[in-house]
Amino acid sequence: MLKRIKMFFAMLAALMLIAAPAMATDVNNFNELKTAINAGGSITLQDNITGITEGLTLNQDRVVIDLNGKELSTTNSFKDTFICIEAGTLEIIGYGCIKAHGTTFAINGGSLEIDGNNTTLESETATVVDINNKGYLTISGLTILKNDNPPNYILQSKSDQNNIRITNGEFHGTIDIKDYGKAPENFQITGGAFRYDPSEYLKGDFEAVEEADGLYHVREKTPVPADIYSLKFERDAVE
């Protein structure tokens, strides 16, 4: 009997260990951030990390970075890619800012998911998000992409094998989706506000309307009531 009781509690403890969520790793400086990314899992910034001179590479299955109201930024002399995603998924959450003097993100085969909460992603001299081949990008929530130095892009997709899903956010800069016409099903923009009219990348059920803030807001088209078509048909017939 005692043996069975011990086995029961051992199994219960094992189940609790499996079910328990992994604890986030708190980071305060660049070395801690680099180590945490290499290990994978959830990361929470506890301080601003600025003046970064080295890029980061993601190869883990999944990494979640909670900006936690903080800033990640490079030096003004940085010219390379700040965060390069080679495989796996990087998810960015929380209020805060990621800013690079070079390319902010390059996706070379993995996924970038941004569930924004007044989250700003910015490049001062290059592309904010550069998607090369078979990359995945999902942007939702209040995410702000900025690049005030045209002709640099805030978002550039270089292959029709990429996948992009945008449901919200603000996009202050130019977007370029190469070979969009070859695989338009891979690119879904169903929301967001854009400095430049994104109509060429919208499906038939959506439209971009310029509003008082000077931005083009993507929204689903309002169906025209059937009776309006009927009235028009009758008027045309009379004329």
Side-chain angles (χ1 to χ4, degrees):
M1 183 68 177
L2 182 60
K3 184 177 180 180
R4 290 183 178 179
I5 293 175
K6 288 182 177 179
M7 289 180 62
F8 169 77
F9 280 107
M11 292 176 63
L12 181 62
L15 289 172
M16 291 177 65
L17 184 62
I18 293 172
M23 296 295 292
T25 300
D26 293 340
V27 299
N28 295 276
N29 56 57
F30 179 76
N31 286 335
E32 291 179 355
L33 175 63
K34 184 177 179 180
T35 299
I37 286 178
N38 289 337
S42 297
I43 300 166
T44 302
L45 299 188
Q46 295 297 334
D47 201 353
N48 295 325
I49 304 177
T50 61
I52 296 171
T53 60
E54 180 182 345
L56 296 164
T57 300
L58 179 80
N59 286 299
Q60 301 299 328
D61 286 342
R62 188 170 189 87
V63 174
V64 180
I65 298 179
D66 184 351
L67 295 178
N68 191 33
K70 304 300 189 290
E71 175 183 318
L72 284 177
S73 60
T74 68
T75 63
N76 290 340
S77 60
F78 185 88
K79 302 296 182 183
D80 298 320
T81 298
F82 183 24
I83 300 177
C84 183
I85 304 169
E86 296 291 346
T89 298
L90 172 62
E91 181 180 2
I92 305 293
I93 63 174
Y95 164 70
C97 176
I98 300 178
K99 181 167 61 175
H101 203 68
T103 298
T104 311
F105 294 94
I107 308 174
N108 297 327
S111 301
L112 175 61
E113 299 176 0
I114 308 166
D115 185 8
N117 180 17
N118 202 15
T119 305
T120 301
L121 310 177
E122 182 176 356
S123 172
E124 297 179 327
T125 62
T127 305
V128 179
V129 181
D130 190 6
I131 315 174
N132 291 304
N133 188 40
K134 295 184 179 179
Y136 291 79
L137 172 67
T138 302
I139 298 178
S140 59
L142 181 52
T143 301
I144 303 168
L145 272 66
K146 295 175 60 177
N147 186 321
D148 296 321
N149 296 288
N152 297 315
Y153 299 105
I154 56 169
L155 170 58
Q156 185 174 32
S157 173
K158 298 177 179 177
S159 169
D160 62 334
Q161 298 301 306
N162 295 327
N163 283 265
I164 297 174
R165 300 289 182 272
I166 296 174
T167 60
N168 203 348
E170 289 186 11
F171 301 84
H172 298 271
T174 306
I175 289 176
D176 178 53
I177 301 178
K178 182 180 179 181
D179 295 330
Y180 170 78
K182 291 183 178 180
E185 68 278 2
N186 290 347
F187 307 98
Q188 303 288 336
I189 301 177
T190 59
F194 298 76
R195 177 182 293 181
Y196 303 107
D197 188 353
S199 294
E200 64 181 301
Y201 301 126
L202 301 182
K203 302 298 186 293
D205 293 338
F206 292 87
E207 62 183 354
V209 178
E210 188 174 13
E211 298 189 3
D213 58 5
L215 300 177
Y216 292 88
H217 292 253
V218 174
R219 66 190 186 191
E220 194 168 3
K221 290 180 179 178
T222 303
V224 179
D227 58 333
I228 292 180
Y229 283 111
S230 299
L231 289 171
K232 182 179 184 304
F233 179 80
E234 292 173 4
R235 186 180 69 248
D236 291 345
V238 171
E239 295 175 353

